[in-house]
């Protein structure tokens, strides 16, 4: 006993010494080298580009993440196709354009990178990790083929120890995007990180740590940590730290089950993770052979409890919680699909302000950066895998790989991301044609079982659009969580027939609108089209298969067994320009609550008035610049979290409106349908429950555009060559009143320690390229992206336009 205690004391002392060492000493154990710079790129198929001595001197110099297609140009013929979109209920094929964004994403391309590894020795193990490669990557190292993958959204890695060498190594990657392989803009290239991991052969496996919290009360939590390692005889010390870096508890074990360590560690007085309090702990796992430390892995995690119960719904930490969620495609508007953490953070900041508490990755595997931010900022996450199973939606879709890759892709998805507390549900598919027929039921069961095997703690859903078919076949009944895409008229029947006792709105609304565009007369319509290829921002237009937001609001509020919704979509995205997919030019969606530039549409404030319980919402639409409509009926809507308000036009009362349940719209909107336009002042005064005026908002008719205004989301950037400031550009008249219909052509210039990255105006019909330093305003606004360099200092943005007083802005970049 004395000897054992002495040994334990020595190990703990050694552990303390290691924790106080610098990152340099850690690098002797494990080095993660991100391959982000010094890449050579060329589109085209080159027979010998994998060879070490291949001459790539004339290739383009780029950094990774990289999307080769986002630089355009937009071209109608790129994705022109004759097809009937089954998901939209079409039975006859027609010519579609812009379905995949009209950007040149098809074809083959090569990436090459020469790198050396620090602290590399022959006895080391080397892992080559790809977080996303679009698509069908073939990987070569030092002239030899390492392996290949298929799915462009999947994370994958190879042990390249036998291929690596001391000194310079040459990595070559061939990617191929086939036409008709996606229903939206998929991007192209090495659009997520590529890393090389160097570690000892005796080491913790890639994604080998699995942390769960099987027991929680207010006094203590049991943290279970399973760790798989490449080792025969060894021990594992795992220490938990709080968010401030204070050591909470530690555990040592030498017991292995196969190659897996199993530890249970107590945390006293646990602080629980939730969207309101996204508290994160850190587990540091250290692998020893004797007294020699061989490997170390740090894992962030949260302590939280989730339950799905019949007739009660979803509970987080013992409290019934509804999903106030949005669906997000993976493109970042003007950046394309190239991942950027600053861009993701801005998206989530906008959604947080709206009151959103959940994200669904649609219809793809999420980036690591997105999940890290959701952990930090407090968003629950529905992580989705596939848009296709064995039956095709598009000619060259995932169905080609399903039988060979589906299990491998799910295993990688789950093992790579299961420690994120934000993930509360998995999705094995979206609107798959396999919903019909016995084979589809078996596939659904097979996929769900794989998820359960890899992670027994979270349920699995599928976004179902063929709800009647899934009621009859048993498909919907076997799912952990029945997800309904639209089909609001079938919720009651589905609830009665499905045994789970609850329904999830896995995809809702699909209302269409264009920011700042209003059409008359104001009526609720389906599939409405206009000559300018825009949709009205009165938020009353939807597709044949979808609906306006209020119909979902009623279900969410009145049916306790409806556990929440994921709105299609949080932001506009490239591709799927419904209802204008048969029109040109139209190359991005109209579904977003915010537009492609991230600028909120009116609908943003409708959702905010319901979802954001802490901040005041009082929003008026439309704008009040209607020259030529004098005396014509121009309805005014107000989106607010107050129940009643009074509207004034040039000081004259238009009466008080109060929310009521006569129609879904009257329940959630204040609407003055008979207002006649006259230029001047539009004001709304909101009342509290006691009828006392508590807030007001006004709009004024603007004169001619006079001056450019610049409003950055951030004034200080990190000098890492990747950080971004999103600068909203607008114009005002001589009195400072915003000009909501301005379409001036503007030019952009960035000087100092930054560079111009891109611009976007949110117009789905615009063919202007994002990376060129000029663009027209759309509905009076656009956004300019300013990027840092690797040097700190001042950055200055200049925006000019003919006949306008120019705007300039100073930003700071710091180390």
């Amino acid at each position: 006993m004395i000897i054992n205690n002495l040994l334990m004391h020595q190990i703990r002392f050694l552990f303390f010494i290691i924790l106080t060492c610098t990152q340099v000493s850690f690098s002797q154990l494990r080095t993660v080298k991100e391959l982000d710079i010094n890449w050579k790129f060329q589109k085209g198929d080159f027979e010998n580009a994998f060879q070490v001595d291949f001459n790539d001197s004339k290739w383009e110099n780029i950094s990774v993440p990289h999307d080769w297609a986002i630089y355009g140009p937009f071209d109608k013929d790129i994705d022109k196709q004759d097809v009937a979109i089954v998901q939209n209920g079409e039975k006859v094929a027609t010519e579609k354009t812009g379905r995949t964004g009209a950007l040149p994403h098809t074809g083959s391309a090569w990436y090459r990178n020469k790198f050396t590894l620090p602290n590399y020795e022959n006895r080391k193990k080397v892992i080559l990790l790809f977080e996303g490669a679009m698509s069908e990557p073939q990987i070569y190292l030092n002239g030899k083929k390492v392996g290949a993958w298929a799915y462009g959204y999947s994370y994958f890695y190879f042990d390249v120890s036998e291929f690596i060498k001391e000194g310079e190594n040459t990595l070559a990657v061939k990617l191929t995007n086939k036409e008709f392989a996606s229903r939206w803009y998929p991007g192209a290239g090495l659009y997520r990180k590529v890393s090389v991991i160097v570690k000892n052969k005796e080491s913790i496996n890639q994604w080998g740590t699995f942390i769960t919290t099987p027991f929680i009360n207010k006094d203590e939590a049991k943290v279970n940590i399973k760790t798989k390692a490449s080792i025969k005889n060894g021990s594992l010390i795992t220490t938990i730290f709080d968010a401030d870096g204070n050591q909470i508890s530690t555990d040592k074990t030498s017991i292995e089950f196969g190659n897996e360590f199993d530890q249970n560690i107590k945390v006293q007085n646990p602080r629980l993770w939730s969207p309101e309090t996204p508290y994160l702990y850190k587990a540091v796992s250290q692998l020893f052979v004797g007294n020699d430390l061989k490997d170390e892995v740090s894992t962030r995690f949260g302590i939280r409890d989730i339950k799905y119960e019949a007739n009660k719904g979803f509970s987080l930490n013992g409290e019934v919680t509804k999903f106030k969620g949005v669906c997000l495609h993976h493109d970042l508007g003007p950046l394309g699909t190239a991942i950027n953490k600053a861009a993701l953070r801005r998206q989530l900041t906008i959604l947080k302000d709206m009151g959103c508490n959940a994200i669904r990755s649609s219809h793809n595997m999420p980036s690591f950066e997105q999940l890290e931010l959701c952990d930090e900022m407090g968003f629950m996450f529905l992580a989705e895998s596939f848009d296709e199973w064995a039956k095709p939606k598009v000619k060259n879709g995932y169905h080609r790989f399903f039988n060979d890759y589906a299990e491998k892709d799910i295993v990688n998805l789950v093992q790579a991301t299961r420690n994120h507390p934000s993930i509360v549900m998995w999705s094995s598919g979206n609107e798959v044609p396999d919903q019909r027929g016995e084979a589809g039921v078996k596939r659904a069961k097979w996929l769900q079982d794989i998820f359960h095997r890899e992670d027994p703690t979270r349920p699995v859903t599928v976004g179902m659009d063929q709800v009647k078919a899934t009621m009859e076949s048993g498909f919907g009944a076997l799912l952990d969580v029945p997800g309904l895409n639209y089909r609001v008229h079938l919720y009651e029947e589905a609830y009665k027939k499905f045994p789970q006792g609850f329904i999830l709105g896995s995809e809702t609304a699909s209302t269409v609108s264009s920011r700042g565009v209003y059409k008359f007369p104001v009526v609720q319509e389906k599939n409405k089209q206009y000559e300018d290829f825009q949709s009205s921002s009165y938020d009353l237009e939807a597709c044949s298969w979808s609906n306006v937001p209020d119909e979902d609001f009623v279900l969410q509020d009145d049916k306790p067994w409806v556990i929440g919704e994921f709105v299609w979509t949080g932001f506009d995205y490239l591709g799927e320009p419904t209802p204008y997919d048969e029109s040109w030019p139209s190359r991005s969606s109209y579904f977003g609550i915010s537009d492609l530039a991230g600028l909120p549409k009116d609908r943003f404030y409708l959702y905010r008035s319901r979802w954001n319980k802490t901040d005041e919402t009082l929003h008026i639409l439309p704008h009040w610049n209607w020259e030529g409509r004098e005396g014509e009926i121009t309805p005014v809507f107000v989106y607010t979290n107050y129940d009643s308000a009074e509207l004034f036009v040039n000081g004259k009362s238009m009466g008080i409106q109060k929310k009521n349940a006569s129609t879904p719209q009257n329940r959630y909107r204040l609407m003055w349908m008979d207002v006649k336009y006259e230029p001047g002042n539009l004001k709304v005064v909101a009342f509290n429950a006691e009828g006392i005026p508590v807030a007001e908002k006004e709009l004024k008719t603007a004169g001619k555009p006079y001056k450019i205004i610049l409003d950055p989301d951030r004034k200080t950037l990190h000098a890492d060559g990747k950080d971004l400031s999103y600068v909203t550009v607008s114009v005002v008249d001589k009195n400072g009143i915003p000009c909501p219909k301005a379409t001036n052509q503007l030019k952009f210039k960035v000087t100092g320690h930054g560079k111009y990255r891109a611009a976007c105006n949110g117009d789905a019909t615009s063919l202007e390229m994002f990376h060129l330093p000029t663009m027209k305003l759309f509905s009076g606004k656009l956004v300019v992206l300013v990027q840092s360099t690797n040097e700190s200092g001042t950055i200055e943005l200049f925006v000019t336009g003919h006949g306008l007083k120019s705007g300039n802005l100073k930003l700071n970049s710091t180390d």
Side-chain angles (χ1 to χ4, degrees):
M1 181 64 71
I2 294 175
I3 295 175
N4 288 339
N5 287 341
L6 179 61
L7 178 61
M8 177 62 72
H9 177 76
Q10 290 174 336
I11 291 174
R12 291 186 186 278
F13 178 73
L14 176 62
F15 171 69
F16 173 78
I17 294 298
I18 291 168
L19 283 182
T20 57
C21 288
T22 65
Q23 187 62 41
V24 174
S25 62
F26 283 144
S27 69
Q28 305 301 318
L29 300 173
R30 174 184 286 253
T31 300
V32 180
K33 180 181 178 67
E34 182 184 344
L35 301 182
D36 55 348
I37 58 174
N38 301 323
W39 284 90
K40 290 283 191 174
F41 165 78
Q42 185 64 48
K43 193 172 180 183
D45 197 355
F46 302 90
E47 183 178 353
N48 299 316
F50 65 92
Q51 295 179 351
V52 174
D53 59 356
F54 180 85
N55 184 3
D56 58 15
S57 60
K58 294 184 179 180
W59 284 17
E60 183 181 355
N61 297 305
I62 59 101
S63 60
V64 167
H66 178 250
D67 179 352
W68 83 57
I70 194 60
Y71 302 100
F74 294 108
D75 187 340
K76 174 182 178 179
D77 292 331
I78 285 174
D79 58 5
K80 185 170 65 176
Q81 50 188 290
D82 290 310
V83 62
I85 302 177
V86 176
Q87 289 74 33
N88 296 355
E90 297 178 359
K91 299 185 182 301
V92 178
T94 56
E95 182 181 284
K96 303 294 193 300
T97 59
R99 195 179 184 199
T100 53
L103 286 164
H105 70 278
T106 59
S108 294
W110 282 86
Y111 291 80
R112 287 170 54 86
N113 188 286
K114 294 183 183 294
F115 64 92
T116 59
L117 296 179
N119 307 315
Y120 174 71
E121 303 169 11
N122 289 331
R123 61 185 176 83
K124 297 283 189 177
K125 177 179 285 190
V126 182
I127 300 294
L128 183 59
L129 171 64
F130 291 83
E131 297 179 20
M134 191 62 68
S135 56
E136 301 183 44
Q138 299 181 51
I139 315 300
Y140 301 84
L141 189 59
N142 296 324
K144 297 180 180 179
K145 190 167 185 178
V146 169
W149 211 261
Y151 194 30
Y153 293 109
S154 188
Y155 337 112
F156 62 94
Y157 65 91
F158 297 107
D159 183 338
V160 295
S161 304
E162 64 179 284
F163 301 94
I164 210 79
K165 64 181 183 180
E166 290 192 41
E168 185 177 78
N169 292 269
T170 301
L171 173 64
V173 181
K174 181 183 180 182
L175 298 173
T176 303
N177 277 0
K178 289 183 169 59
E179 61 178 0
F180 314 136
S182 178
R183 298 191 297 120
W184 57 85
Y185 176 65
L190 295 176
Y191 69 102
R192 292 178 182 168
K193 288 181 182 179
V194 180
S195 301
V196 181
I197 302 166
V198 183
K199 58 182 182 175
N200 291 315
K201 290 185 178 180
E202 304 95 341
S203 57
I204 296 170
N205 292 1
Q206 181 68 21
W207 307 326
T209 303
F210 184 21
I211 302 178
T212 59
T213 53
F215 175 81
I216 303 169
N217 64 28
K218 65 182 180 64
D219 299 317
E220 60 187 21
K222 174 183 176 181
V223 178
N224 177 257
I225 305 177
K226 293 179 172 63
T227 307
K228 291 187 177 181
S230 300
I231 195 169
K232 291 184 178 179
N233 296 300
S235 60
L236 188 75
I237 295 179
T238 299
T239 303
I240 294 177
F241 298 85
D242 66 15
D244 297 320
N246 301 310
Q247 181 175 326
I248 299 297
S249 53
T250 189
D251 179 77
K252 173 184 178 292
T253 181
S254 298
I255 301 173
E256 296 181 55
F257 300 92
N259 66 337
E260 184 175 80
F261 297 93
D262 196 334
Q263 297 171 293
N264 290 299
I265 305 177
K266 181 189 292 187
V267 173
Q268 300 280 10
N269 304 313
R271 298 184 63 177
L272 304 188
W273 186 96
S274 72
E276 296 75 27
T277 58
Y279 193 87
L280 295 172
Y281 293 86
K282 180 174 70 174
V284 177
S285 300
Q286 296 182 306
L287 185 67
F288 288 86
V289 174
N291 290 332
D292 294 332
L293 180 61
K294 292 294 186 179
D295 198 11
E296 176 178 294
V297 171
S298 294
T299 307
R300 289 200 313 177
F301 69 98
I303 297 175
R304 55 105 177 102
D305 177 65
I306 59 172
K307 287 183 181 177
Y308 295 79
E309 301 171 277
N311 304 313
K312 186 175 181 180
F314 170 73
S315 296
L316 177 65
N317 301 326
E319 295 185 12
V320 174
T321 303
K322 294 231 179 184
F323 295 110
K324 300 180 289 187
V326 299
C327 301
L328 292 180
H329 266 309
H330 70 305
D331 81 64
L332 295 169
L335 297 179
T337 59
I339 202 68
N340 181 282
K341 200 163 186 176
L344 289 168
R345 189 183 297 275
R346 174 182 180 251
Q347 279 194 340
L348 295 176
T349 299
I350 292 168
L351 292 172
K352 198 75 173 179
D353 177 63
M354 188 174 69
C356 173
N357 69 3
I359 307 294
R360 174 189 177 213
S361 61
S362 312
H363 306 288
N364 51 268
M365 299 171 178
S367 68
F368 295 163
E369 292 89 345
Q370 188 178 40
L371 292 174
E372 289 166 5
L373 287 170
C374 286
D375 289 347
E376 295 170 11
M377 299 174 68
F379 288 88
M380 296 178 288
F381 208 94
L382 197 174
E384 194 153 273
S385 49
F386 310 123
D387 189 53
E388 268 188 14
W389 292 351
K391 291 187 177 181
K393 291 183 183 180
V394 290
K395 178 181 177 182
N396 290 314
Y398 186 75
H399 67 275
R400 294 180 295 141
F401 314 121
F402 180 81
N403 290 334
D404 294 330
Y405 275 91
E407 182 170 7
K408 292 188 288 187
D409 285 329
I410 289 175
V411 168
N412 283 7
L413 166 64
V414 177
Q415 291 188 0
T417 66
R418 60 191 174 186
N419 293 321
H420 290 280
S422 54
I423 297 180
V424 296
M425 196 188 319
W426 306 108
S427 170
S428 63
N430 170 71
E431 297 181 359
V432 293
D434 314 63
Q435 288 169 89
R436 295 182 178 275
E438 294 178 358
V441 177
K442 293 177 180 178
R443 289 184 192 117
K445 178 69 164 55
W446 176 65
L447 293 171
Q448 184 165 274
D449 286 346
I450 297 171
F451 275 106
H452 288 171
R453 182 191 72 206
E454 299 300 318
D455 175 20
T457 71
R458 297 177 177 94
V460 181
T461 189
V462 171
M464 300 181 293
D465 62 335
Q466 302 298 316
V467 180
K468 284 283 191 181
T470 65
M471 289 179 188
E472 301 304 321
S473 68
F475 186 106
L478 71 85
L479 299 175
D480 297 326
V481 177
L484 268 61
N485 287 7
Y486 317 106
R487 312 302 185 263
V488 290
H489 61 289
L490 294 176
Y491 269 52
E492 291 278 2
E493 185 179 355
Y495 172 61
K496 292 176 182 177
K497 289 193 174 182
F498 291 150
Q500 295 89 342
F502 52 82
I503 297 289
L504 171 68
S506 46
E507 195 167 309
T508 64
S510 275
T511 305
V512 292
S513 63
S514 303
R515 177 183 54 80
V517 175
Y518 306 92
K519 301 296 186 179
F520 306 97
V522 177
V523 293
Q524 187 169 337
E525 292 194 70
K526 297 282 185 79
N527 296 331
K528 183 65 176 178
Q529 297 185 2
Y530 303 93
E531 292 182 358
D532 61 359
F533 302 156
Q534 304 292 351
S535 295
S536 178
S537 202
Y538 275 104
D539 302 322
L540 290 173
E541 296 176 2
C543 306
S544 60
W545 38 268
S546 64
N547 52 271
V548 295
D550 320 68
E551 295 178 41
D552 287 297
F553 294 168
V554 170
L555 289 165
Q556 302 297 323
D557 289 344
D558 293 356
K559 309 296 182 183
W561 43 266
V562 178
I563 66 174
E565 66 173 318
F566 289 87
V567 182
W568 192 263
T569 53
F571 295 84
D572 280 332
Y573 55 93
L574 292 162
E576 287 194 317
T578 312
Y580 295 107
D581 48 19
E582 297 178 10
S583 307
W584 182 259
S586 188
R587 47 67 173 156
S588 59
S589 78
Y590 299 78
F591 299 119
I593 295 172
S594 293
D595 69 17
L596 197 69
L599 295 171
K601 302 179 186 179
D602 293 287
R603 200 164 359 121
F604 174 92
Y605 300 97
L606 180 58
Y607 283 98
R608 191 179 193 272
S609 69
R610 290 189 65 249
W611 285 358
N612 187 330
K613 301 298 185 182
T614 59
D615 300 312
E616 175 184 281
T617 299
L618 186 58
H619 177 76
I620 311 172
L621 65 130
H623 60 71
W624 212 236
N625 271 63
W626 295 105
E627 185 177 356
R629 285 191 57 82
E630 289 81 3
E632 294 188 39
I633 291 178
T634 306
V636 175
F637 289 7
V638 169
Y639 298 155
T640 181
N641 50 0
Y642 297 109
D643 285 335
S644 62
E646 185 172 9
L647 180 69
F648 298 86
V649 178
N650 293 329
K652 181 181 178 182
S653 176
M654 298 291 105
I656 296 175
Q657 291 288 341
K658 185 176 178 61
K659 294 176 184 177
N660 62 76
S662 60
T663 69
Q665 280 72 49
N666 289 106
R667 184 170 173 177
Y668 299 103
R669 318 181 193 204
L670 300 177
M671 301 182 293
W672 290 261
M673 299 301 296
D674 298 324
V675 176
K676 292 183 178 180
Y677 174 69
E678 57 183 69
N681 180 279
L682 190 68
K683 184 172 78 170
V684 63
V685 177
F687 304 102
N688 64 14
E690 289 74 37
I692 300 171
V694 289
E696 65 178 54
K697 193 78 171 284
E698 64 180 6
L699 298 176
K700 294 181 180 179
T701 304
K704 293 181 179 180
Y706 170 72
K707 180 182 179 181
I708 296 171
I709 301 295
L710 307 182
D711 181 21
D713 70 329
R714 301 165 62 217
K715 291 186 177 181
T716 301
L717 302 182
H718 182 48
D720 61 357
K722 302 174 184 178
D723 206 3
L724 297 171
S725 177
Y726 282 75
V727 183
T728 300
V729 181
S730 56
V731 295
V732 297
D733 67 8
K734 287 186 177 181
N735 297 315
I737 301 171
C739 301
K741 299 179 76 173
T743 58
N744 305 68
Q745 187 81 39
L746 303 182
K747 296 182 179 180
F748 323 116
K749 182 180 179 181
V750 177
T751 62
H753 298 281
K755 62 181 181 180
Y756 170 78
R757 176 64 189 271
C760 185
N761 61 15
D763 180 3
T765 70
S766 173
L767 301 183
E768 293 185 279
M769 295 314 306
F770 303 122
H771 67 287
L772 299 179
T774 181
M775 186 167 285
K776 283 185 177 180
L777 293 164
F778 177 65
S779 294
K781 292 183 178 182
L782 56 78
V783 172
V784 171
L785 284 66
V786 178
Q787 184 169 313
S788 68
T789 64
N790 290 310
E791 296 181 355
S792 60
T794 301
I795 306 170
E796 195 159 7
L797 168 66
F798 300 89
V799 182
T800 59
H802 181 71
L804 296 173
K805 188 175 180 180
S806 62
N808 70 288
L809 171 71
K810 287 187 178 180
L811 305 170
N812 294 315
S813 180
T814 61
D815 292 327

